[in-house]
Amino acid sequence: MFVIVNGCQHLVPDPHTLEELLSQLSPPIPFAVARNEEFVPVGNYHECRICPGDRIEIVHPMAGG
Amino acid sequence: MREHQVDRLTLYDRTFTSRLLLGTARYGSPRQLLDASLAAEPALLTVSLRRQLAGASGSGQPFWDLLSQTNRPILPNTAGCFTARDAITTACMARELFNTSLIKLEVIGDDANLQPDPFGLLEAATELVKLGFQVLPYCTEDWVVCKRLLDVGCQVLMPWAAPIGTGQGPRNPNAMRELRKRVPNVPLIVDAGIGLPSHACQVMEWGFDAVLVNTGVSRANDPVAMARAFAGAVTAGRRAFLGGPMIVQELAVPSTPELGRPFSIDLDVSSLCGS
């Protein structure tokens, strides 16, 4: 299915949960995630269902003021 | 204040010996940021969250490791958010990632001068306080907005001195000083627009509790030297405030005693000569 990851369309092999999607994407750690503009705590990855067209944001620590 | 008394900055339930907060952006190298932090010994280092960028030195695991080396507490921000919803989501991600409930809340209302959006700011602050965050809202010196932020549970305010990254120093000194008088017991951290150590010293002399500076340090010719200068300026300004400045006079008042001035003609000269 297609999902939008950090603004870019990704074709991924039908992940059922956010945990599976992240396993496929393997983003560098540390990171935090939002799905469709809603924060998903790390403890909820395994029960967060992924649907086609979902918008996933994966963010990392960055310098800031 | 007596010498043995320790002057500490209190933000929510945390206390700090330093009254300088330092931003981590726009340094020439990670090493330069680390050295600037060691020189300034700030109370907090501000950080942000972003998507991973290929080859970016100030991000990801290398940046994470660098933060650990500084051994300073972290204050994440919601920089770049233009809506309350984005700011709330970003704050939640920051809390998990940095393991802190402190959040420097930014909701920007104008992308030209990066002025805070008071409506989005208040909406986001209200929700984040309910979610248990310790919110430090980046705001202007507008009293009504500040009052509303306090009303919804913010215990610290971060009024700007001037737009972010300009280095102009306090653009509206009267309003800033008025804000200080209105809330003498609320920690006020001047954030944004501080370009020189003299700006930092000035606002500390006015009684502000702390200063956050980033570009003024990171874009200096020698950021490490400038970090040290800012630390000294903040300390000097704080000590001046505690010392209680003199009252400005309209007319000259000689500081050297008039009595006994050589070549003067005193009316009571006979008594001074003992005759």
Side-chain angles (χ1 to χ4, degrees):
Chain A
M1 75 174 73
F2 281 101
V3 293
I4 311 296
V5 179
N6 288 350
C8 298
Q9 199 172 56
H10 279 250
L11 179 60
V12 288
D14 292 343
H16 294 100
T17 66
L18 180 58
E19 187 174 51
E20 291 178 26
L21 175 65
L22 292 170
S23 176
Q24 293 171 18
L25 296 173
S26 296
I29 57 170
F31 61 82
V33 181
R35 171 180 165 272
N36 297 333
E37 286 79 49
E38 294 288 342
F39 167 61
V40 183
V42 65
N44 293 357
Y45 289 173
H46 68 287
E47 60 188 31
C48 177
R49 308 291 297 180
I50 296 297
C51 301
D54 274 355
R55 299 179 305 282
I56 308 297
E57 286 288 335
I58 305 173
V59 294
H60 306 266
M62 174 72 87
Chain B
M1 170 167 292
R2 294 178 181 174
E3 284 297 318
H4 68 272
Q5 290 180 304
V6 179
D7 176 41
R8 294 186 186 278
L9 170 68
T10 300
L11 305 175
Y12 290 92
D13 56 349
R14 303 156 204 246
T15 58
F16 306 90
T17 52
S18 170
R19 291 176 177 272
L20 175 63
L21 285 69
L22 187 64
T24 57
R26 306 186 69 189
Y27 290 83
S29 67
R31 180 74 225 181
Q32 195 175 65
L33 164 59
L34 179 60
D35 289 343
S37 175
L38 292 172
E41 297 186 319
L44 292 158
L45 283 176
T46 57
V47 297
S48 68
L49 291 177
R50 288 290 183 271
R51 297 167 173 170
Q52 185 75 18
L53 301 174
S57 61
S59 68
Q61 185 69 49
F63 182 64
W64 185 261
D65 294 340
L66 182 69
L67 291 178
S68 299
Q69 290 180 59
T70 66
N71 201 30
R72 311 309 300 184
I74 298 301
L75 174 61
N77 68 27
T78 63
C81 291
F82 280 77
T83 68
R85 186 179 185 189
D86 285 354
I88 292 166
T89 302
T90 301
C92 290
M93 291 193 287
R95 179 161 65 176
E96 180 181 271
L97 201 49
F98 295 106
N99 193 31
T100 178
S101 58
L102 289 172
I103 190 75
K104 179 192 161 191
L105 179 60
E106 292 187 32
V107 182
I108 301 301
D110 182 82
D111 58 8
N113 69 356
L114 302 179
Q115 183 171 337
D117 172 358
F119 310 102
L121 187 65
L122 192 62
E123 180 185 348
T126 303
E127 183 62 24
L128 288 171
V129 168
K130 290 177 183 172
L131 292 172
F133 281 87
Q134 296 174 316
V135 181
L136 291 80
Y138 164 61
C139 54
T140 68
E141 68 280 354
D142 184 293
W143 165 241
V144 174
V145 174
C146 290
K147 183 176 183 302
R148 294 288 171 83
L149 289 166
L150 296 172
D151 289 344
V152 300
C154 295
Q155 297 178 24
V156 179
L157 298 174
M158 301 187 77
W160 71 355
I164 295 170
T166 62
Q168 294 174 358
R171 290 211 304 194
N172 198 346
N174 288 343
M176 291 181 71
R177 299 182 78 167
E178 189 175 314
L179 174 62
R180 175 69 288 178
K181 288 178 182 172
R182 297 296 290 268
V183 284
N185 298 317
V186 174
L188 297 179
I189 303 170
V190 177
D191 176 20
I194 298 290
L196 291 169
S198 56
H199 298 153
C201 189
Q202 175 76 91
V203 298
M204 293 301 292
E205 287 174 4
W206 292 341
F208 283 86
D209 295 277
V211 167
L212 194 164
V213 64
N214 188 152
T215 311
V217 168
S218 63
R219 306 310 288 175
N221 286 336
D222 184 342
V224 179
M226 191 60 83
R228 194 172 290 114
F230 266 102
V234 167
T235 299
R238 177 64 181 177
R239 287 178 176 169
F241 170 71
L242 294 175
M246 64 166 282
I247 298 170
V248 175
Q249 306 294 314
E250 288 293 325
L251 299 173
V253 179
S255 52
T256 302
E258 279 291 284
L259 189 64
R261 179 169 56 87
F263 316 116
S264 62
I265 302 173
D266 292 315
L267 293 175
D268 199 15
V269 66
S270 58
S271 65
L272 287 174
C273 293
S275 56

